[in-house]
Amino acid sequence: MKNINFKPRQKLIVPSKSNLLVHRYAETALCVWQRFKPKATYINMECIDKFYRPPLRLIDGGDNAFYFFNEFQRISQVLRLESDSDYPCLITPESIKDVQKLAWMEVINLTFLKDIHHPDLFNALKSTAPQSVICQLMGIRYLTIKGYCRFAGISQSSYEYMQCKFALEERVLGIPQTPIIINPPNNLKNH
């Protein structure tokens, strides 16, 4: 068996000079998170001394490539707005279970946002997330609407109201379906 060093090490990286990539076991969670992410305001971390900034957790992929698997909002901010400064990182060993848990925790944290559409988020979790990971993080046995609502702190009637309201808005906002007449009736041909 190969000896694994479970001690993380610290490193300063410059995101513009390193390949900062999403870990393959966190890709689906990142896609779901991006679909539901909140509109966040920018907090300029560059003005804080690099030794006081909270470190990013990364996995060293070799050849100056680093993989992220959580803290999607901060990674997005660093890549878009702070890519030219040194950023403290905690290089951790890879554990697939932990990578999945930390990635999906980012998505599950969205359930506590004020304006989140719970039926859509529940459906995304039900169809894309590893059920065992989600259930473990939520502390439930099976991912059901009742269990989701209890975890999110909303009533099931609020969930159902959101679901119905969205369905009605879809019909109202959609393009009206008017019949297209391919062959006009005989009385319209001569006019």
Side-chain angles (χ1 to χ4, degrees), residues 7 15 20 26 37 44 46 53 55-56 65 69 72 79 96 106 122-123 129-130 147 151 165 183-184 186:
K7 292 185 179 179
L20 201 52
K37 72 180 177 182
N44 186 1
E46 283 184 311
R53 290 184 220 163
L56 299 173
F69 48 89
F72 298 147
L79 289 175
I96 302 304
E106 293 287 320
F122 173 79
N123 290 334
F151 178 80
K165 182 180 176 201
N183 292 324
N186 288 335

Side-chain angles (χ1 to χ4, degrees), residues 35-54:
R35 188 170 137 212
F36 293 98
K37 72 180 177 182
K39 304 228 183 310
T41 56
Y42 170 64
I43 299 172
N44 186 1
M45 292 281 221
E46 283 184 311
C47 66
I48 300 173
D49 185 8
K50 62 186 163 196
F51 296 106
Y52 293 106
R53 290 184 220 163

Side-chain angles (χ1 to χ4, degrees), residues 116-128:
I116 197 73
H117 190 268
H118 291 284
D120 276 351
L121 182 56
F122 173 79
N123 290 334
L125 288 171
K126 188 82 171 168
S127 64
T128 60

Side-chain angles (χ1 to χ4, degrees), residues 104-182:
W104 285 103
M105 192 174 359
E106 293 287 320
V107 177
I108 288 176
N109 281 334
L110 296 174
T111 62
F112 304 116
L113 296 177
K114 179 183 170 189
D115 295 328
I116 197 73
H117 190 268
H118 291 284
D120 276 351
L121 182 56
F122 173 79
N123 290 334
L125 288 171
K126 188 82 171 168
S127 64
T128 60
Q131 297 302 297
S132 61
V133 171
I134 296 300
C135 291
Q136 186 178 17
L137 290 171
M138 289 183 161
I140 56 179
R141 183 172 283 185
Y142 301 105
L143 183 57
T144 61
I145 293 172
K146 184 178 179 180
Y148 173 89
C149 290
R150 192 174 327 119
F151 178 80
I154 62 169
S155 67
Q156 198 164 340
S157 59
S158 295
Y159 176 94
E160 291 165 356
Y161 175 77
M162 282 184 208
Q163 201 171 22
C164 291
K165 182 180 176 201
F166 182 73
L168 288 173
E169 287 174 355
E170 281 284 306
R171 276 191 266 149
V172 171
L173 295 177
I175 298 173
Q177 299 294 321
T178 56
I180 298 174
I181 301 173
I182 297 174

